[in-house]
Amino acid sequence: MNPSQNSFEYQRKPGCGIQIGYRILSNRAEDQDIPSRATQSTDPADAIANIDVHLISTEDVYARYSCHPTVGLEAAAIQRRSKDGKNVISPPTTQYWKKILNYIFGGFNFLMWIAFIVTIISYKPLGGSNSFKVAVLLMLVIIISTTFYAVVDWNASRIMKSIKSIIAQEAAVIRDGKQQLIPATDIVVGDIVVLNAGDRVPADLRIVAASSDLRFDRSLLTGESDMVPGFLEATSDNALETGNLALTSTFVTQGTCNGLVFATGDRTVMGRIVKMSGETKFKLTTIQKEIWFFTKVISSVAFSMFGLSLLLFGVWLRASYRGYETISQAITNSIGCLTAFVPQGLPLCFALSLTIIARRVSKRHILVKNLATIETLGCMSVLCSDKTGTLTAGKMVVESIAFLDRHLLVSEIEEKISEASDPRFLAGLSALHQIARLCNGAKFDSATADRPIHERNIKGDPTDTALLRFSEALSIPALNINTSGLLSSWRKPFEIPFNSNNRWMLSIVQQTRTTEGHITKRDSTTWMLVKGAPDMLVKSCTTVMRSDGSVVPLDEASKQHMSDLQSDWSSEGQRVLALCRKPLDALKPNLALNTMEKLMYSEIGNLTLVGLVGIRDPPRPDVLSSVAVIRCAGVRVFMVTGDFESTAVAIARQVGIITRHSVDNISDVRAASAEKHLADVLPSAIKPSEDEPIRALVLTGEDVSSLTALDWHVIVGQYTEIVFARTTPDQKMKIVEEIKARGDNTVAVTGDGVNDAPALKAADIGVAMGSGSDVAKEAAALILLNNDFASIPVAIEMGRLVFDNLKKVILYLMPVGSYTEFMAVVTNVVFGMQLPLSSYLQVCFSITNDVVMSISLMYEKAEAVFGISQCATDLMLRKPRNARTDRLADWRLFFQIYLFIGLMTWPCAMSMWFVYMDKQGLGFHDVFLAYNNWTAGYHNYTQDQLDQFVNVGQCIYYVTMVFIQYGNLLAIRNRRVSLIQSNPLWGPRKNIAVPIGMVATALIAVINLYGPGFQKVFKTTPIPEMFWGPPFAFGLGILFVDEIRKLIVRTRPKASANLFLVFLILMEN
């Protein structure tokens, strides 16, 4: 490249040649009084907040940890300190025995265990003949339920593997005056660790010596991609933000340093964050709470029925009808009351329903670690999202470039040049390309050199990485812009790396020529290239370049224009760099590094401002639309990030988290909380009013630390759009906990860094990105494997759908599988009738027929919205379910189970029992209240004949239950829409699982009745042909009645003129 001959830019200055290098800074330690240590705390968050080693001088650090600056630790000191334990981060402990006990005795299983134990007692000590069969069936139910509870709750922990992957394997330390390479696990407090570029920090270190270009990558810990410069002195009181600490698991990306170890293993910041993410107390998911509530209600009633049955036997039946029941039979019948009322198939249906939904969401590359968490997304009311890597792509890219007279997007460059008659109107791109490529500290990884530019790995900080990708991809032959030609034509004899003091990087480049394959110097062309913060460099510029490559004086108007452009870009979340250059005379060789560096500092002046470059981490393309859908679903979306306030707000505006022009701050919160009007408000009532306008708020981590309870009332109760910036891990966790404590909020958290892990664990549901850290993924309940933020609305919809479908499953199971079975036992226990349904058929129906049929309900799609096309659903138009007040099983559901559907099903089944008995010459009064009369000779029948009548009647009762469920299923699968508009065979609500389930349950019934082994063991028997048809008619009748209910609900939702209409409308859920 030939230098511009413009007199404003090309003014040669004397110089000299040097070699690339850096300065080493060091401090000597002298004996001083040892400062007092920070108060120790067992709380991880407090322990991090109490770190003070960064606030004391280097000499005091050596004194506190009894270490010599050059000798390090001696062997005796190492031996003593090694007793404190290895430098290893321990995984959170898991009490597997508690989990196993919960599997075995959780849910309805504790009732089954009581029934099993009582049955065994009635079998052996009390001599019950059928008790053993009942006990076997009960144990079968326990085993199946336990298995499914384990499948639902099982969450294989790989936390130890994750922790090992983020710890350095070896470390260079200074011991006994010598540098040694030791296993990182053997590091002790007081060791001096030597770090070079590319090393992973093995323990928490206080930097005691550092090169001027020292920089760390803390993205694993903080989630932010910006490189952090290293210093000898504190740059912040916050241990997580100061530049003079090197923390475990972070990387040295540039420079070298020595650090004194002040914490190892579990006492490091990383160890304490892992502890915070693992110490969160066990909590039930929202659906587990609903199932537990339903279990308590049903179990209480069932246990009451069990006790009442025994009481009736003891005070009435035993005295009034001697010989009707033995003690063993009474216990068995009482157990029948208990087991009949409990829907044994519910745990299986619950697990299968969640599994089916999990398979659906897995198609969107969502990994569900705990099935029970799926529904929690459905009632999520607040989503706290990290920024970097979650809302944004996590990769810095060059988005805009600007010259004095023109600015444009990088994506527009090719189009603009191809449309122009003369491409030289953008000749300034040649100088800008030169600076971006040659004044750059990043390098491509040679192992990925064959990949496309955007896929190559790069070693360097994000800013240099963005410029490197931009300059490598920029190729304009018409302007002679070609990266390979540029690199072969220039060499770099000297550079000053970027540091936070100067806030710029400087490179000296010299043009070369190729002679017979050898590169030689051409001393006539030497450039100083500088890039950095505009506010640091523009004041050193005297000229500015236009887009055509011409150079003009940089007057005040030009400075103001460039400053305004910088402000505009910054408000959009872009990081702005100034690219400058200056021609130099030939450099003198063999100058000392320090001499050359001083010379270059003196040359910073009379620069030409070539242009500005706007770099940013762009939002993911799917985030804006996804946030809009989530907010439409009634969910508030907050940003919780460690990034700076201005950048966070800019990104929040771009993705739709903040839509208001005016954004409040901490002073507005304090002013509102001073009014005290929220002091007496119940926590559950603290939420934004729908009548109030939307308000936006931004707070920093420092603000969060100072908030009072009333401040939090204001924040959670009055703001819909919130950004929390510059937050630490413990502050993120506090934000989640404070939001959860108010407004009955169900809080979800998204994140990808180690710093997000405590908040992910503390949330009702944690969502990690697939590209995130292993610790974050272990703490989360859901993982978005393809980093697709658009998967979150899908997961919310699936969570709401699973709640609806589970309600349908309960409504399907209870009227027949519980109520109708229970009434059969009641007629036997209370009214002296022979048992219309055997214990085997009772259990078999609950765990086979009912489960097979209910599977089709788990595949149901969402129902249509009234007045909208059938394909439109209301799932994402509803408000989030209030997990505290909106129950899975409320009074309306029980009303429909026991006073609507149930009142049709059990009389139908019972009538078939009486019809069969009537056909045998036994009328209603002969069967009802028979008590101890049902013995040999009753109506001239033998005992075998009477037993045969009972066996056939039980099978008829069973078959009636099986086929009456056809109508019940078709009625329940649509809570509002008519079957005509949503039949299961075709159309938008097609569900092929419905006919498959019907065929399967019929086959189970046939096998039970006609299988020789079943007939012999369980006394089942074929039934007369006439009893196969009426159950279908009963099912059709139930469907018809429910269709009338749906019609009234759709056409007259507010009808209340007569009691019948009110009753039917109450059925609508």
Side-chain angles (χ1 to χ4, degrees):
M1 171 185 252
N2 293 323
S4 169
Q5 300 302 312
N6 191 298
S7 60
F8 287 117
E9 179 182 17
Y10 196 75
Q11 299 176 0
R12 297 183 180 274
K13 298 287 181 181
C16 49
I18 63 164
Q19 299 174 341
I20 298 176
Y22 56 82
R23 296 179 297 167
I24 298 293
L25 306 175
S26 63
N27 285 26
R28 272 182 61 221
E30 298 178 1
D31 294 336
Q32 293 187 12
D33 294 335
I34 300 176
S36 60
R37 298 172 184 265
T39 304
Q40 297 297 315
S41 174
T42 57
D43 180 76
D46 289 343
I48 294 174
N50 287 336
I51 294 174
D52 67 344
V53 68
H54 58 297
L55 302 176
I56 60 178
S57 66
T58 306
E59 291 83 357
D60 291 339
V61 172
Y62 284 121
R64 172 181 289 188
Y65 295 101
S66 304
C67 177
H68 193 278
T70 57
V71 177
L73 294 178
E74 297 178 346
I78 296 169
Q79 185 175 2
R80 285 194 310 271
R81 300 184 186 194
S82 62
K83 295 178 182 178
D84 293 335
K86 292 284 187 179
N87 179 33
V88 175
I89 297 178
S90 306
T93 57
T94 302
Q95 294 179 314
Y96 290 103
W97 66 272
K98 286 187 177 180
K99 280 194 171 187
I100 294 172
L101 287 179
N102 186 55
Y103 300 153
I104 297 174
F105 298 103
F108 293 120
N109 275 3
F110 80 97
L111 285 178
M112 297 297 106
W113 275 108
I114 293 174
F116 174 78
I117 293 170
V118 174
T119 304
I120 290 297
I121 293 173
S122 68
Y123 166 65
K124 200 65 177 174
L126 302 177
S129 58
N130 294 320
S131 298
F132 182 74
K133 296 177 184 178
V134 176
V136 171
L137 290 175
L138 289 171
M139 181 52 65
L140 178 64
V141 172
I142 291 172
I143 291 172
I144 294 174
S145 297
T146 299
T147 302
F148 275 92
Y149 281 136
V151 169
V152 170
D153 190 58
W154 181 72
N155 178 12
S157 176
R158 302 185 308 275
I159 191 76
M160 192 61 201
K161 179 180 177 181
S162 304
I163 297 304
K164 285 183 178 179
S165 68
I166 62 174
I167 299 298
Q169 300 301 309
E170 293 181 322
V173 299
I174 297 175
R175 290 180 172 179
D176 291 323
K178 299 177 183 178
Q179 183 170 315
Q180 308 172 25
L181 192 64
I182 65 171
T185 56
D186 292 342
I187 288 176
V188 298
V189 172
D191 264 326
I192 297 177
V193 177
V194 180
L195 295 173
N196 296 291
D199 289 345
R200 190 189 287 272
V201 180
D204 283 357
L205 314 176
R206 163 62 195 270
I207 298 172
V208 293
S211 60
S212 60
D213 60 338
L214 179 63
R215 306 187 84 189
F216 293 96
D217 176 1
R218 289 188 178 178
S219 58
L220 181 65
L221 188 64
T222 65
E224 301 303 323
S225 56
D226 293 342
M227 297 298 103
V228 178
F231 298 95
L232 293 179
E233 303 299 330
T235 57
S236 170
D237 290 343
N238 189 329
L240 297 181
E241 296 186 2
T242 186
N244 65 339
L245 296 185
L247 303 177
T248 302
S249 81
T250 60
F251 281 99
V252 181
T253 59
Q254 190 173 302
T256 64
C257 72
N258 289 358
L260 189 143
V261 177
F262 67 88
T264 60
D266 292 334
R267 292 174 292 277
T268 62
V269 170
M270 173 66 73
R272 297 188 188 279
I273 291 176
V274 170
K275 187 176 182 181
M276 279 193 287
S277 68
E279 278 192 340
T280 306
K281 295 180 180 179
F282 169 78
K283 57 184 182 294
L284 294 174
T285 65
T286 54
I287 194 61
Q288 285 173 331
K289 291 176 182 176
E290 292 304 310
I291 293 294
W292 177 236
F293 173 78
F294 180 73
T295 301
K296 286 189 294 184
V297 172
I298 296 300
S299 299
S300 299
V301 177
F303 204 72
S304 299
M305 293 300 103
F306 173 77
L308 183 60
S309 175
L310 286 178
L311 183 63
L312 285 174
F313 171 76
V315 302
W316 175 45
L317 293 176
R318 188 175 184 183
S320 302
Y321 299 97
R322 293 185 181 276
Y324 172 56
E325 286 181 336
T326 64
I327 295 177
S328 175
Q329 289 172 335
I331 293 175
T332 302
N333 288 338
S334 298
I335 289 171
C337 287
L338 187 151
T339 57
F341 201 82
V342 172
Q344 295 100 328
L346 184 62
L348 281 69
C349 295
F350 167 58
L352 287 172
S353 183
L354 294 177
T355 302
I356 289 167
I357 293 295
R359 289 183 60 187
R360 285 193 191 181
V361 299
S362 69
K363 294 178 181 179
R364 292 298 300 264
H365 305 287
I366 303 174
L367 174 63
V368 182
K369 295 169 61 181
N370 184 342
L371 296 180
T373 60
I374 297 175
E375 192 278 332
T376 306
L377 277 171
C379 53
M380 171 180 68
S381 57
V382 174
L383 173 63
C384 295
S385 179
D386 182 36
K387 180 183 73 71
T388 306
T390 304
L391 297 174
T392 65
K395 292 183 178 179
M396 304 292 284
V397 296
V398 177
E399 185 170 273
S400 311
I401 61 172
F403 299 96
L404 176 63
D405 59 333
R406 187 189 302 271
H407 62 88
L408 65 161
L409 298 175
V410 170
S411 58
E412 299 175 339
I413 293 177
E414 286 190 23
E415 180 183 354
K416 295 287 186 184
I417 290 180
S418 63
E419 293 176 351
S421 57
D422 184 0
R424 287 179 295 178
F425 84 100
L426 275 179
L429 274 176
S430 180
L432 189 141
H433 176 257
Q434 177 199 35
I435 301 170
R437 188 63 181 86
L438 298 180
C439 187
N440 197 311
K443 295 180 180 179
F444 284 111
D445 186 347
S446 58
T448 59
D450 57 336
R451 298 181 186 175
I453 294 173
H454 68 278
E455 295 181 4
R456 296 180 194 174
N457 294 335
I458 297 178
K459 297 179 179 179
D461 69 65
T463 301
D464 279 344
T465 296
L467 286 172
L468 183 60
R469 291 192 198 277
F470 161 72
S471 58
E472 187 74 11
L474 190 63
S475 178
I476 307 176
L479 297 178
N480 198 28
I481 296 177
N482 179 272
T483 299
S484 58
L486 180 72
L487 294 177
S488 62
S489 300
W490 297 87
R491 73 183 193 92
K492 190 190 305 183
F494 176 75
E495 72 177 13
I496 299 177
F498 178 92
N499 65 70
S500 57
N501 289 328
N502 301 327
R503 296 173 61 199
W504 48 254
M505 176 183 179
L506 180 149
S507 295
I508 302 300
V509 295
Q510 292 180 324
Q511 195 170 21
T512 62
R513 68 171 183 266
T514 304
T515 306
E516 297 179 359
H518 297 284
I519 297 178
T520 59
K521 281 191 288 186
R522 180 190 294 174
D523 293 330
S524 60
T525 307
T526 302
W527 286 93
M528 172 193 287
L529 310 179
V530 189
K531 75 169 193 300
D535 53 337
M536 297 296 291
L537 291 179
V538 171
K539 60 187 178 184
S540 299
C541 297
T542 55
T543 57
V544 61
M545 184 174 287
R546 300 171 62 88
S547 60
D548 60 3
S550 61
V551 178
V552 297
L554 181 63
D555 54 24
E556 289 302 319
S558 300
K559 286 184 180 180
Q560 187 60 45
H561 172 72
M562 300 303 274
S563 177
D564 292 343
L565 185 61
Q566 176 192 353
S567 298
D568 291 342
W569 284 2
S570 296
S571 66
E572 296 172 0
Q574 296 189 59
R575 179 177 302 165
V576 185
L577 292 180
L579 305 188
C580 309
R581 71 176 187 177
K582 174 183 178 179
L584 297 177
D585 288 335
L587 301 178
K588 296 180 181 178
N590 303 322
L591 280 181
L593 295 181
N594 287 341
T595 303
M596 187 60 181
E597 186 169 340
K598 291 178 181 179
L599 180 61
M600 291 302 102
Y601 273 96
S602 67
E603 291 286 348
I604 297 292
N606 296 321
L607 298 174
T608 296
L609 175 59
V610 174
L612 300 180
V613 173
I615 302 173
R616 74 166 176 166
D617 180 9
R620 295 181 183 274
D622 56 345
V623 170
L624 179 60
S625 58
S626 298
V627 169
V629 172
I630 293 171
R631 294 189 63 172
C632 250
V635 180
R636 289 187 286 172
V637 184
F638 300 161
M639 179 188 289
V640 185
T641 179
D643 209 343
F644 291 97
E645 180 180 334
S646 58
T647 304
V649 171
I651 296 296
R653 291 188 184 279
Q654 292 169 29
V655 300
I657 291 177
I658 288 184
T659 59
R660 305 293 94 181
H661 177 71
S662 175
V663 180
D664 292 351
N665 55 33
I666 184 65
S667 59
D668 299 292
V669 172
R670 293 272 160 77
S673 63
E675 298 176 8
K676 305 287 184 182
H677 64 282
L678 291 174
D680 299 326
V681 179
L682 292 175
S684 60
I686 298 175
K687 58 186 71 174
S689 171
E690 295 181 4
D691 301 327
E692 296 291 332
I694 294 175
R695 297 176 64 186
L697 173 69
V698 59
L699 296 172
T700 65
E702 185 177 348
D703 297 334
V704 170
S705 299
S706 64
L707 294 174
T708 65
L710 283 178
D711 293 336
W712 280 111
H713 287 356
V714 172
I715 293 167
V716 178
Q718 298 184 8
Y719 290 94
T720 305
E721 304 174 345
I722 306 179
V723 170
F724 297 96
R726 302 303 288 168
T727 54
T728 60
D730 58 302
Q731 289 168 347
K732 289 186 177 184
M733 188 165 68
K734 181 179 181 181
I735 290 168
V736 172
E737 291 172 343
E738 294 290 351
I739 296 174
K740 284 173 60 178
R742 294 164 175 83
D744 286 340
N745 284 311
T746 299
V747 181
V749 171
T750 65
D752 62 344
V754 173
N755 64 316
D756 298 317
L760 288 168
K761 197 74 173 181
D764 292 296
I765 184 165
V767 182
M769 293 292 169
S771 60
S773 68
D774 286 339
V775 175
K777 286 186 282 189
E778 289 301 331
L782 264 70
I783 301 175
L784 307 183
L785 296 176
N786 62 350
N787 307 307
D788 185 6
F789 195 85
S791 298
I792 294 180
V794 174
I796 293 174
E797 185 175 9
M798 290 297 102
R800 296 182 178 186
L801 179 60
V802 77
F803 184 83
D804 280 6
N805 287 351
L806 280 175
K807 181 169 284 193
K808 292 177 183 178
V809 167
I810 291 175
L811 197 53
Y812 168 80
L813 293 177
M814 295 297 292
V816 178
S818 173
Y819 192 20
T820 304
E821 288 184 357
F822 176 71
M823 292 307 295
V825 178
V826 167
T827 58
N828 171 252
V829 173
V830 180
F831 299 107
M833 192 171 72
Q834 294 300 299
L835 191 63
L837 187 67
S838 69
S839 297
Y840 165 72
L841 291 175
Q842 179 191 122
V843 174
C844 178
F845 181 85
S846 294
I847 65 175
T848 57
N849 298 89
D850 259 359
V851 171
V852 167
M853 286 274 281
S854 66
I855 287 175
S856 62
L857 292 173
M858 305 166 197
Y859 283 100
E860 284 298 331
K861 301 173 184 176
E863 294 185 35
V865 183
F866 291 134
I868 304 180
S869 68
Q870 294 179 10
C871 297
T873 69
D874 66 344
L875 286 178
M876 296 302 284
L877 300 178
R878 303 178 191 169
K879 293 180 182 178
R881 180 177 73 87
N882 188 317
R884 186 179 65 87
T885 59
D886 300 338
R887 315 297 322 202
L888 177 66
D890 54 16
W891 69 270
R892 291 178 298 176
L893 185 75
F894 287 117
F895 202 90
Q896 185 161 0
I897 289 171
Y898 296 112
L899 296 179
F900 184 59
I901 298 176
L903 279 182
M904 292 185 284
T905 57
W906 79 260
C908 290
M910 196 67 70
S911 67
M912 294 298 286
W913 159 271
F914 283 115
V915 168
Y916 170 73
M917 290 299 177
D918 187 68
K919 293 291 183 182
Q920 312 311 312
L922 297 169
F924 176 80
H925 293 291
D926 297 325
V927 178
F928 196 69
L929 301 177
Y931 291 111
N932 52 358
N933 294 324
W934 195 273
T935 57
Y938 189 55
H939 287 270
N940 298 319
Y941 289 114
T942 65
Q943 187 64 54
D944 289 341
Q945 287 177 312
L946 292 174
D947 291 344
Q948 179 64 16
F949 294 159
V950 172
N951 291 339
V952 175
Q954 289 175 341
C955 291
I956 290 173
Y957 196 98
Y958 166 71
V959 168
T960 304
M961 289 169 55
V962 168
F963 293 114
I964 208 172
Q965 284 286 62
Y966 281 19
N968 192 19
L969 178 71
L970 293 175
I972 287 170
R973 66 180 293 264
N974 298 302
R975 302 288 292 117
R976 304 172 182 87
V977 181
S978 171
L979 178 66
I980 298 173
Q981 299 170 318
S982 56
N983 73 82
L985 300 179
W986 65 82
R989 296 292 308 283
K990 178 181 178 181
N991 186 352
I992 200 66
V994 171
I996 292 175
M998 289 179 173
V999 172
T1001 192
L1003 289 175
I1004 293 172
V1006 170
I1007 292 171
N1008 273 322
L1009 269 57
Y1010 294 91
F1014 291 91
Q1015 292 178 0
K1016 181 178 180 180
V1017 176
F1018 298 109
K1019 306 300 181 182
T1020 58
T1021 181
I1023 64 174
E1025 294 179 0
M1026 66 168 291
F1027 292 97
W1028 286 94
F1032 291 96
F1034 293 148
L1036 191 61
I1038 291 175
L1039 177 61
F1040 178 74
V1041 172
D1042 198 66
E1043 284 292 308
I1044 295 176
R1045 178 192 69 82
K1046 293 172 186 173
L1047 177 63
I1048 295 174
V1049 168
R1050 292 195 303 272
T1051 57
R1052 301 184 64 185
K1054 297 182 179 180
S1056 58
N1058 64 63
L1059 186 60
F1060 181 66
L1061 290 180
V1062 172
F1063 167 75
L1064 291 175
I1065 292 171
L1066 282 174
M1067 299 307 98
E1068 195 276 323
N1069 228 344

